[in-house]
Amino acid sequence: MAKILATEIRAGNLLEWDKRLWRVLKSYHVHVGGRGGAYMQIEIKDIESGQKRNERLATDEKIERPFIDSRQMTYSYQDGDNYVFMDNETFEQHSLPLETCAESLRFIKEGSPCQLLYWNDRLIDFTPPQHVILEVTYTEPAVRGNTSSNVTKAATLETGAETQVPAFVATGDKIKLDALTGEYIERVRD
């Protein structure tokens, strides 16, 4: 396993700590003036239990970075409390529990490509595609005069998720979004 310096830790990284796998949620470099030294403050979440904790690391401290095996899969469907993914090569089905990936799948529709992550031959998480194109199923009509500024409004998407879009986006439009945050990128023309 590779070790990385505490100053190289970024949000989204996976770390091995106390023989458990953790995802970094936040990472801050803190420098205290005077006699205090610099340190890294990180907020981490246990992949299996969902437990969160904060840690303070010396800037020269080294942390284990786990070997993660990534496999290309396709999101197939939701089956009760599990999300089912299909291996593109063997057509085997793999499932992840609802609490593991419900938040990340808000902007993903069936048939979308995803990367499933394995640690010690155990399925632990998935990474959605970077961008998705979804249809707006409902949004309020644009208000006259609000098109020249950065006015946004709520929009419901075909996956049932909601996001903020510019005032000129209408029901039936297709839009490109960041798949992790749901942030609007652009309107897509057919």
Side-chain angles (χ1 to χ4, degrees):
M1 287 199 211
K3 289 192 175 213
I4 61 170
L5 277 172
T7 55
E8 297 171 342
I9 296 173
R10 303 286 180 261
N13 287 155
L14 292 172
L15 303 175
E16 189 170 340
W17 193 313
D18 295 334
K19 298 184 181 179
R20 300 189 65 92
L21 192 64
W22 302 82
R23 180 174 302 280
V24 178
L25 301 176
K26 297 177 185 172
S27 174
Y28 303 101
H29 185 263
V30 180
H31 180 69
V32 181
R35 294 183 176 218
Y39 61 90
M40 292 297 294
Q41 180 74 33
I42 60 173
E43 181 180 337
I44 54 179
K45 179 180 178 182
D46 187 326
I47 293 289
E48 292 181 40
S49 70
Q51 170 193 1
K52 291 182 184 178
R53 72 189 228 198
N54 289 303
E55 293 292 334
R56 182 181 289 189
L57 308 169
T59 56
D60 60 348
E61 192 171 341
K62 292 191 175 192
I63 305 297
E64 290 287 332
R65 190 158 198 187
F67 174 74
I68 303 295
D69 183 26
S70 175
R71 300 179 195 162
Q72 181 72 30
M73 306 260 180
T74 301
Y75 167 54
S76 295
Y77 58 92
Q78 182 179 352
D79 182 24
D81 288 343
N82 291 312
Y83 287 103
V84 179
F85 298 85
M86 184 182 68
D87 188 311
N88 296 338
E89 294 175 10
T90 64
F91 304 108
E92 290 180 47
Q93 293 188 347
H94 305 265
S95 61
L96 277 171
L98 180 71
E99 61 271 2
T100 302
C101 53
E103 187 66 23
S104 301
L105 276 171
R106 292 180 307 148
F107 303 105
I108 307 298
K109 60 183 176 179
E110 294 176 0
S112 296
C114 297
Q115 294 286 326
L116 264 61
L117 307 176
Y118 290 82
W119 178 59
N120 295 338
D121 292 325
R122 213 172 66 228
L123 178 60
I124 55 162
D125 203 0
F126 88 104
T127 304
Q130 186 173 1
H131 301 111
V132 292
I133 296 174
L134 296 173
E135 183 176 336
V136 176
T137 57
Y138 178 77
T139 189
E140 294 291 328
V143 177
R144 188 178 180 118
N146 276 351
T147 57
S148 63
S149 62
N150 289 335
V151 175
T152 61
K153 59 184 179 178
T156 304
L157 306 170
E158 63 183 287
T159 61
E162 289 191 5
T163 191
Q164 292 293 312
V165 297
F168 60 81
V169 173
T171 301
D173 285 351
K174 291 191 177 191
I175 58 173
K176 185 176 184 179
L177 301 168
D178 180 306
L180 284 174
T181 63
E183 190 174 306
Y184 172 86
I185 297 172
E186 65 184 357
R187 184 167 48 177
V188 177
R189 301 281 182 193
D190 288 329

